[in-house]
Amino acid sequence: MSMLTTRIALLAERLGIPLPRIAGHARLGLMGSVRVTQPIPITFTPRVVEQLRKRDLPLTPDAVVDAMNATHVWVWLQIRDGEKRWKLPEREWLDQCSKGNVPTQDFSITLATASWSLGCVPASDGHGLAVIGVLGPGKPHFTRRLLTADFHNGALSDFDLRGMVSLIASQMLIRSQIEPRRIEKEASDDIGFVTNVRRYLEALRDHANNSTPRAQYELAGRSPVQIRICDADAWPRAFTRPDTLLRFPVQQSGKTRDLKFLDVTDDGDVITMDWSDDRNEILDKGELQVRPSDDGFRRMREALDAATTGTDEAHARLLAALTRPESLGDMARTESHGDQQVVRQLEAKQLALNTPDVALIHGPPGTGKTTVICKIIEELVRNKQRVLLVAPTHVALDNVLERVGNRPGVTAIRLGSQGNVEAQAHQFLLQNRSKDLVHRLARNLVAAAVSTAEDDAVAAVQREWAKRIENDEGIGTMLLLNANLVCATPIGIAMTPAFREVAVEFDVMIIDEASKATITDFLVPAARAKKWILVGDHCQLPPYVDLGELEAVISERVKRVGIDVPEGWVRELGSRLRQHFDKRMHPDPEQRVVAWRSFITELSKPFKIDDALIGELAVLDADSDKWREAHLHAKGRAADAPRATLLRLGAEFLELQTLALTSVFEYLTRLPTSRAVRLNYQHRMSPKLAEFSSELVYGGDYPSAPDTEKLGLDIPSLQAPAIWIDTAYAPASSRYEQPRDQNWSGGSYTNKLEAAVAKELVETCATWAVEHWQGDPREHGRGADAPFEIGVVSFYLQQARELCNVIFPMCASGTDRWRRQWKSPAANGALIDIHISIVDRFQGREKDVVVLCTTRSNPVGRRGHVDNLNRLNVAVTRARHKRIIIGDSTTLAGQEKGRPRSPGDLLVRLYETSEQKKKWGGALTWGGKHE
């Protein structure tokens, strides 16, 4: 009920109708009622007392007041017209009253019960009501409002009549302006949204609980226990959640030990357990069993319940933002002036500070998202506000902490496991801060008691407390409750007992990398805040979603409608649903249409419908509301029953796509434009490297800051900033990918020729750095002692493993699976770091040189992951100085099915905007000659 009250108030606010929530002793109550916190004084004129006495059942004023206090009382206002007749007030009069401009005369208040109505006017002292008439039973009236109050027979000198009248007038104004159907529609939308999220979470929970996966692991550390899953692609996200237990074999034959999941690295490669193996019990490698927990899903449901049933106005605003973001009101914005490189950053900061609820900061690569976040945090802390900083990746949190964690006035806490937190952020970890505080407290207590006598009672208490606090787990809770900046991943929040068990509330939540968080990821931390700032870029990678979880939800929906489906259909439909999502931003409309029709065709298979109906479905577009409406039209006709079922499933799967695949950031791009700012000047890379994304992703609004002109490396044979080393001139037997099945589709691809070229490129760049790298001294740069960083990135995991196999033997030994240092330091004495990974794990990172392996090379033009706008945008924006692409131009930028690709094709443009090298290195020339 209270949520509906708040919904009415928020709707009035969006419509520009003034609506005070509190006016004197009056408050906005349930269902838009007026609640008065002090008794309303009413006095009865002698004439009215006589009227009551002469009734069939004589009454006294006290009896009337007692009866009113025991039942519902409705209230409305009337005013006198020029002929001294009472009538309903017009909007202008109500508008003035709602603003507090209540007249002293010429209006009356009617108090109505089921038995009678009392006509009242303001008492002569202006602090109560004088009853001037008694009427028959109260009649329903469209302007009446429920009055929740007690009444008092007689005068009370401190009663604020004007405040009560002001609030009644505002409620009558709302009633006259807002159709009940609109309120009901919003309530229905809320219910639909909540139901969809709840069903989705229940399906994920059932999937986890009904799964008993096993996985081969390798031990990566013992203190705490850290493991690598040998087939990381098969490790579902559902099992990296709170309270999941992994059962490990131990040294004693036949014995096992259950360890609780604690954390996972950003790339998902290393899983940390909540236990240290000091006795070397766990086997170095073996097979583990998973015992899933529904704790994570339960907390998501609790957060959803808090947002939908909470009495806090912030929760109502959160639900409104998630249910109908486009309906939130516009915000007044102050235009900034000055240096164009920082104007958008200033506007983003002001938007974040001034928004009443939700704001978006869209930050393309290298445009200063971290800088803006730091400035926002500093200003919020200065204003005595508490900030929750959330990000799906550890590196994003640590980058912010490195800049603001030790600023004056900032008390920062970092949640997470030490192994996943950068060294510079270890000091902020909750466990480290707790230990430090305990140590200082104990030291001070002991020091204060040193010079006192042994029998001193106060000193004895101090010594006892010094011993106790060393084991006091409440210290961490105290720190968490008093910190003004708490930083965590969604997993870190879920895994921290102090955060889970204590009602820690925040004024503002900032979520960085919000384009990698789903709506359900967002819910748990969002329920702890009153305002939400989302920072991200939906033109980069979306959230990671396990295909198995998608299939689980599809299966649950299919079971509910009771249809038979072909074997393998659920998996194929999940794959087509994700492919359609991946193509949603592709600049080629034909590819978007093909992906959409492919999904519809697969969806229709169990229903055996004809091509004409598939064409009708295609016209509905990926709009679940249109599918729902079509379902309702077909639902009532028996002949259309299969079609109705198909339409219902289609609507549900499109809603599933929104919940499971769409990031919360992309979802909220439907907010009014006044609630979003897009940063534009990029400061990361050479201008030549930014051209592709500026043209094809950001509509030309992605200029390069002037100081980026200084970026570039004069490496012999690799001077240009953007290079494409073309493998098209190598024999097909050498350049084509593996596996080479009949259709050149499916499989985990590798390309040994590209790996060999990448090895030579790394060696060439590292050798140059040993002799010439002098750091990065440009303004706002990393300094003259900066390491030289080389990133080698693939679109396929198997190719990344192949790259490790051929490149790392040239490097110094190390234990990290994906990173090594070159065998010699750079010319400035710093390390030369070589990081190999896949594109999906590289968002948020930047390197001096990036070598990009496209991998796909085949005679039919199948391009695979590289032809995804979001993934390609991430891949080409990681380099500061130099980007080197290795790829077969005939496959990637050549003809498709005998037809030239369109001039605006993604990879055609990427090829055209790079310096093309037809031969380079020994792997491509067989003579070592560079071109």
Side-chain angles (χ1 to χ4, degrees):
M1 300 283 276
S2 59
M3 181 60 75
L4 183 56
T5 298
T6 308
R7 179 182 294 114
I8 294 170
L10 294 177
L11 180 55
E13 183 179 288
R14 295 201 300 271
L15 295 174
I17 301 173
L19 179 61
R21 313 286 174 83
I22 299 175
H25 299 142
R27 306 287 190 274
L28 179 62
L30 300 180
M31 292 293 290
S33 66
V34 176
R35 179 167 57 89
V36 183
T37 57
Q38 290 200 358
I40 301 174
I42 56 177
T43 57
F44 295 78
T45 64
R47 187 169 67 87
V48 171
V49 172
E50 183 65 18
Q51 279 185 297
L52 292 173
R53 189 180 65 79
K54 291 181 178 181
R55 294 173 64 91
D56 293 338
L57 295 174
L59 291 172
T60 65
D62 284 341
V64 171
V65 169
D66 289 342
M68 292 173 67
N69 286 336
T71 188
H72 294 302
V73 176
W74 301 87
V75 61
W76 67 85
L77 303 174
Q78 290 181 300
I79 61 173
R80 286 185 185 275
D81 62 13
E83 300 178 1
K84 302 296 183 180
R85 292 181 301 187
W86 295 107
K87 68 173 186 177
L88 294 174
E90 298 176 351
R91 173 168 181 168
E92 290 75 15
W93 192 92
L94 292 172
D95 186 51
Q96 288 299 314
C97 277
S98 68
K99 295 175 181 176
N101 301 322
V102 179
T104 57
Q105 55 187 3
D106 289 338
F107 75 91
S108 68
I109 297 177
T110 301
L111 302 174
T113 71
S115 302
W116 59 74
S117 297
L118 302 181
C120 309
V121 294
S124 58
D125 62 2
H127 291 296
L129 299 174
V131 181
I132 60 173
V134 181
L135 307 175
K139 296 181 180 180
H141 204 287
F142 79 94
T143 56
R144 70 181 187 175
R145 307 306 301 163
L146 182 64
L147 191 64
T148 305
D150 287 330
F151 295 87
H152 172 75
N153 181 17
L156 294 173
S157 60
D158 62 342
F159 184 76
D160 180 13
L161 178 64
R162 286 176 176 268
M164 184 182 79
V165 172
S166 175
L167 203 56
I168 293 171
S170 69
Q171 291 296 288
M172 292 176 65
L173 184 64
I174 290 293
R175 187 70 176 179
S176 66
Q177 297 299 312
I178 299 179
E179 295 183 8
R181 290 182 182 179
R182 181 163 185 175
I183 299 172
E184 292 169 6
K185 173 65 167 59
E186 292 200 355
S188 176
D189 289 344
D190 289 350
I191 292 170
F193 173 81
V194 171
T195 301
N196 284 332
V197 175
R198 192 180 297 278
R199 286 177 179 170
Y200 173 64
L201 293 175
E202 288 171 354
L204 293 186
R205 178 202 60 198
D206 293 343
H207 169 61
N209 290 339
N210 295 332
S211 303
T212 54
R214 298 171 180 265
Q216 297 295 320
Y217 76 90
E218 297 175 353
L219 202 64
R222 293 188 182 273
S223 185
V225 171
Q226 291 185 308
I227 59 168
R228 291 191 180 92
I229 302 298
C230 296
D231 186 3
D233 282 351
W235 184 255
R237 190 179 67 166
F239 305 124
T240 49
R241 298 196 187 276
D243 290 343
T244 293
L245 295 178
L246 305 186
R247 178 165 291 173
F248 289 86
V250 298
Q251 298 292 350
Q252 292 178 299
S253 178
K255 300 291 184 179
T256 60
R257 176 178 280 276
D258 289 347
L259 304 183
K260 185 183 292 188
F261 163 80
L262 177 63
D263 207 350
V264 62
T265 53
D266 286 348
D267 59 14
D269 189 49
V270 177
I271 297 171
T272 302
M273 312 307 298
D274 191 13
W275 189 67
S276 293
D277 186 14
D278 299 327
R279 298 182 180 180
N280 294 345
E281 293 182 27
I282 306 297
L283 294 177
D284 290 341
K285 59 177 63 176
E287 183 182 71
L288 60 81
Q289 301 175 43
V290 181
R291 298 176 58 193
S293 164
D294 69 352
D295 184 78
F297 304 113
R298 179 168 56 83
R299 295 190 183 282
M300 289 180 184
R301 292 197 305 272
E302 289 172 355
L304 182 65
D305 291 342
T308 55
T309 63
T311 58
D312 195 324
E313 181 184 317
H315 288 146
R317 291 183 180 275
L318 175 61
L319 186 60
L322 293 174
T323 307
R324 46 193 171 277
E326 63 282 345
S327 71
L328 267 63
D330 280 312
M331 278 189 58
R333 293 263 295 272
T334 302
E335 188 175 347
S336 299
H337 301 280
D339 185 351
Q340 289 303 304
Q341 294 184 71
V342 297
V343 161
R344 299 274 183 94
Q345 293 185 4
L346 292 172
E347 291 176 347
K349 174 187 168 184
Q350 290 305 314
L351 173 66
L353 295 175
N354 296 333
T355 182
D357 35 54
V358 184
L360 298 187
I361 299 174
H362 182 189
T367 52
K369 295 191 295 291
T370 302
T371 299
V372 171
I373 290 172
C374 292
K375 290 179 178 178
I376 293 170
I377 289 172
E378 289 183 84
E379 190 69 28
L380 291 171
V381 168
R382 194 176 296 119
N383 293 334
K384 309 299 182 186
Q385 294 187 290
R386 302 190 69 219
V387 183
L388 174 62
L389 176 65
V390 181
T393 63
H394 293 282
V395 66
L397 298 172
D398 296 338
N399 285 342
V400 173
L401 269 177
E402 185 178 9
R403 297 196 195 183
V404 302
N406 287 315
R407 293 284 176 88
V410 176
T411 305
I413 293 291
R414 176 73 158 88
L415 304 182
S417 60
Q418 186 155 309
N420 287 333
V421 176
E422 296 289 336
Q424 69 269 18
H426 283 180
Q427 61 177 308
F428 304 110
L429 282 166
L430 179 61
Q431 55 269 39
N432 292 342
R433 287 237 152 160
S434 297
K435 289 176 183 177
D436 180 60
L437 180 58
V438 166
H439 177 71
R440 286 190 284 117
L441 287 173
R443 183 180 59 198
N444 291 341
L445 286 168
V446 171
V450 165
S451 60
T452 60
E454 283 295 325
D455 59 352
D456 186 292
V458 174
V461 171
Q462 289 176 324
R463 284 190 288 267
E464 177 64 23
W465 272 105
K467 293 177 183 178
R468 286 188 181 184
I469 63 174
E470 291 181 358
N471 301 312
D472 188 355
E473 296 180 358
I475 295 292
T477 301
M478 182 188 71
L479 284 171
L480 198 57
L481 288 170
N482 287 278
N484 54 23
L485 174 61
V486 176
C487 306
T489 63
I491 288 177
I493 288 172
M495 295 303 302
T496 304
F499 197 97
R500 294 160 62 184
E501 296 165 6
V502 179
V504 187
E505 302 294 337
F506 297 88
D507 297 292
V508 181
M509 170 186 162
I510 302 173
I511 179 167
D512 193 10
E513 299 286 1
S515 53
K516 291 181 70 67
T518 63
I519 293 173
T520 52
D521 291 332
F522 172 74
L523 271 174
V524 173
R528 298 292 188 97
K530 299 176 182 177
K531 195 164 81 168
W532 308 272
I533 312 301
L534 292 89
V535 185
D537 179 12
H538 60 290
C539 298
Q540 296 187 60
L541 288 168
Y544 167 77
V545 177
D546 175 56
L547 188 57
E549 294 185 6
L550 205 59
E551 293 168 17
V553 181
I554 291 174
S555 295
E556 180 266 336
R557 300 292 169 89
V558 170
K559 288 176 185 175
R560 282 198 298 111
V561 298
I563 61 170
D564 295 325
V565 299
E567 185 177 354
W569 178 80
V570 169
R571 170 168 283 271
E572 187 60 30
L573 183 67
S575 178
R576 298 288 177 88
L577 186 65
R578 189 157 69 176
Q579 287 172 9
H580 167 250
F581 177 77
D582 287 344
K583 294 292 185 181
R584 71 199 184 286
M585 294 184 184
H586 202 287
D588 184 350
E590 184 177 344
Q591 292 207 35
R592 298 197 301 270
V593 169
V594 168
W596 174 233
R597 292 192 67 98
S598 176
F599 165 68
I600 295 174
T601 302
E602 191 64 34
L603 172 66
S604 305
K605 281 183 179 179
F607 301 91
K608 301 180 175 59
I609 64 174
D610 56 29
D611 290 343
L613 182 52
I614 291 177
E616 290 181 29
L617 297 176
V619 175
L620 294 175
D621 299 321
D623 185 333
S624 60
D625 288 340
K626 290 182 180 179
W627 284 70
R628 289 279 184 196
E629 186 177 348
H631 161 70
L632 292 175
H633 283 303
K635 186 178 178 181
R637 298 188 293 270
D640 286 343
R643 178 178 179 178
T645 302
L646 171 60
L647 288 163
R648 173 184 170 181
L649 281 178
E652 291 185 354
F653 293 152
L654 290 171
E655 290 162 355
L656 170 62
Q657 186 183 71
T658 298
L659 284 175
L661 301 177
T662 305
S663 73
V664 66
F665 187 92
E666 182 176 346
Y667 179 78
L668 289 177
T669 55
R670 295 156 52 195
L671 286 167
T673 56
S674 62
R675 290 173 172 268
V677 170
R678 189 164 76 76
L679 308 178
N680 59 342
Y681 269 87
Q682 74 84 14
H683 301 262
R684 172 183 295 170
M685 67 197 90
S686 171
K688 183 69 175 177
L689 301 182
E691 286 180 1
F692 172 82
S693 294
S694 180
E695 175 189 351
L696 292 172
V697 182
Y698 301 113
D701 187 20
Y702 189 48
S704 296
D707 62 348
T708 59
E709 295 284 354
K710 304 173 185 177
L711 296 173
L713 303 173
D714 189 18
I715 301 176
S717 78
L718 298 170
Q719 285 89 351
I723 299 170
W724 184 305
I725 296 180
D726 198 349
T727 63
Y729 301 92
S733 59
S734 300
R735 75 176 190 267
Y736 282 170
E737 67 210 31
Q738 295 287 350
R740 302 177 181 182
D741 60 22
Q742 186 175 0
N743 296 320
W744 299 89
S745 62
S748 185
Y749 298 103
T750 60
N751 191 310
K752 292 186 179 295
L753 176 60
E754 288 192 17
V757 175
K759 174 185 176 181
E760 290 185 71
L761 286 168
V762 169
E763 185 173 22
T764 298
C765 294
T767 301
W768 174 88
V770 170
E771 298 178 0
H772 301 286
W773 175 251
Q774 295 298 328
D776 192 4
R778 64 194 175 96
E779 187 179 359
H780 308 304
R782 296 172 298 139
D785 59 348
F788 186 70
E789 299 176 326
I790 303 174
V792 185
V793 186
S794 168
F795 288 88
Y796 295 92
L797 181 61
Q798 200 59 41
Q799 178 70 358
R801 290 170 176 161
E802 178 70 18
L803 290 164
C804 291
N805 292 337
V806 300
I807 292 172
F808 284 165
M810 300 188 297
C811 303
S813 59
T815 57
D816 193 304
R817 191 176 186 182
W818 303 104
R819 298 182 85 154
R820 291 287 193 279
Q821 271 69 56
W822 191 247
K823 52 195 172 185
S824 303
N828 66 343
L831 295 173
I832 298 175
D833 181 75
I834 298 164
H835 186 181
I836 299 174
S837 191
I838 58 173
V839 173
D840 291 38
R841 298 174 181 174
F842 230 69
Q843 184 165 316
R845 301 185 183 276
E846 55 186 80
K847 306 293 179 181
D848 296 298
V849 175
V850 169
V851 176
L852 184 60
C853 290
T854 57
T855 307
R856 300 304 300 272
S857 174
N858 52 70
V860 294
R862 293 197 181 277
R863 307 192 290 190
H865 293 330
V866 71
D867 196 26
N868 176 288
L869 179 70
N870 300 71
R871 192 171 276 117
L872 187 61
N873 185 36
V874 171
V876 300
T877 54
R878 300 304 98 194
R880 301 185 189 103
H881 298 276
K882 196 174 300 294
R883 179 184 69 222
I884 307 171
I885 297 171
I886 309 171
D888 179 354
S889 63
T890 59
T891 298
L892 303 178
Q895 294 187 341
E896 180 185 22
K897 298 178 181 179
R899 295 184 292 114
R901 299 187 188 271
S902 65
D905 181 87
L906 286 175
L907 298 176
V908 170
R909 290 297 297 140
L910 186 60
Y911 183 71
E912 291 173 348
T913 54
S914 303
E915 181 185 88
Q916 300 141 23
K917 289 185 174 292
K918 300 177 181 179
K919 296 179 182 179
W920 189 92
L924 290 178
T925 63
W926 296 274
K929 181 181 177 182
H930 294 161
E931 275 190 14

